[in-house]
Amino acid sequence: MAWTRDQMAARAAKELRDGFYVNLGIGIPTLVANMIPAGMTVTLQSENGMLGMGPFPYEGEEDADLINAGKQTITDLPQTSYFSSADSFGMIRGGHINLSILGGMEVAANGDLANWMVPGKMIKGMGGAMDLVAGVKRVVVVMDHCDKSGASKFKAECSLPLTGKGVVDLLITDLAVFEIDRKGGGARLIELADGVSLGEVKGKTEAAFEVSLAA
């Protein structure tokens, strides 16, 4: 059985480390905000000028002025600070964010990422993904393994416009987890979702990958 969105976010949350500054992308990555392990200090950063985001608010307690990059209402914390978007991008471009967890439309075996537009379709905003993949130390992508037609989104080569070339370190899908060597070493399958077989992953994956599953 493939992982649910919450299970994919929970797997991504295992990449968090105490003391990290982390930027979460739109979609499944935002769910990670509610899955920070107890006792771990992780500071969430948003491109729109907020450092120290809290979890999602309870129903009826939303503040429309507090939103993340995906325009979802969030909460602040006693240590939260606010600043300009320019300062926010300065943090990203200056290499001060440890980890970014992003959504993806396509990922290639060499770590290329496409996640910002489909030609011919409306673009509501480019967001900060291009800066994030260029400036953040480690990039994790979370996405469905296949698109609505059943075609693999983990590709031999991305067909959509790229967000960045050779920028993905770890790919988490609803079927499996792959480590990707940005320096040309290719992709390695390191984990299967519960109930998913190696044969199913091979059958639904266009990208070439080595298998390195724990015994």
Side-chain angles (χ1 to χ4, degrees):
M1 181 182 293
W3 277 332
T4 64
R5 289 166 58 90
D6 282 337
Q7 288 173 316
M8 294 163 68
R11 176 58 186 83
K14 292 182 179 180
E15 300 304 309
L16 302 173
R17 299 291 182 271
D18 195 45
F20 265 17
Y21 289 83
V22 179
N23 185 291
L24 301 177
I26 298 170
I28 297 171
T30 60
L31 300 175
V32 176
N34 284 350
M35 297 179 180
I36 298 172
M40 179 181 289
T41 300
V42 171
T43 303
L44 300 179
Q45 189 255 13
S46 175
E47 298 102 292
N48 52 359
M50 192 174 178
L51 187 65
M53 292 185 293
F56 290 116
Y58 293 112
E59 186 174 350
E61 297 181 0
E62 300 91 345
D63 182 343
D65 289 329
L66 293 180
I67 58 172
N68 62 18
K71 311 298 187 290
Q72 296 169 302
T73 53
I74 54 176
T75 58
D76 59 5
L77 301 168
Q79 67 270 28
T80 296
S81 60
Y82 299 91
F83 37 83
S84 72
S85 184
D87 288 333
S88 178
F89 276 88
M91 295 176 188
I92 295 168
R93 294 169 183 171
H96 303 292
I97 305 300
N98 301 100
L99 173 69
S100 183
I101 302 175
L102 299 172
M105 295 176 179
E106 293 178 346
V107 171
N110 66 352
D112 290 354
L113 170 65
N115 78 342
W116 69 282
M117 67 97 72
V118 175
K121 293 193 175 182
M122 182 178 68
I123 305 171
K124 294 183 179 179
M126 292 177 63
M130 292 180 184
D131 288 90
L132 287 164
V133 298
V136 174
K137 296 181 175 76
R138 179 170 169 81
V139 174
V140 173
V141 171
V142 183
M143 68 178 190
D144 288 333
H145 201 91
C146 299
D147 64 20
K148 293 180 180 178
S149 72
S152 174
K153 294 172 66 175
F154 188 25
K155 316 281 283 186
E157 185 175 344
C158 292
S159 59
L160 296 173
L162 292 183
T163 305
K165 290 182 66 64
V167 295
V168 179
D169 297 289
L170 190 77
L171 170 62
I172 299 169
T173 77
D174 53 332
L175 299 183
V177 181
F178 300 86
E179 279 186 348
I180 299 177
D181 183 353
R182 293 186 184 207
K183 297 180 179 179
R188 291 191 306 129
L189 172 67
I190 60 170
E191 191 173 337
L192 294 170
D194 298 336
V196 173
S197 69
L198 176 58
E200 181 179 359
V201 173
K202 285 184 174 179
K204 293 182 176 178
T205 306
E206 179 187 307
F209 61 88
E210 296 181 358
V211 179
S212 183
L213 296 169

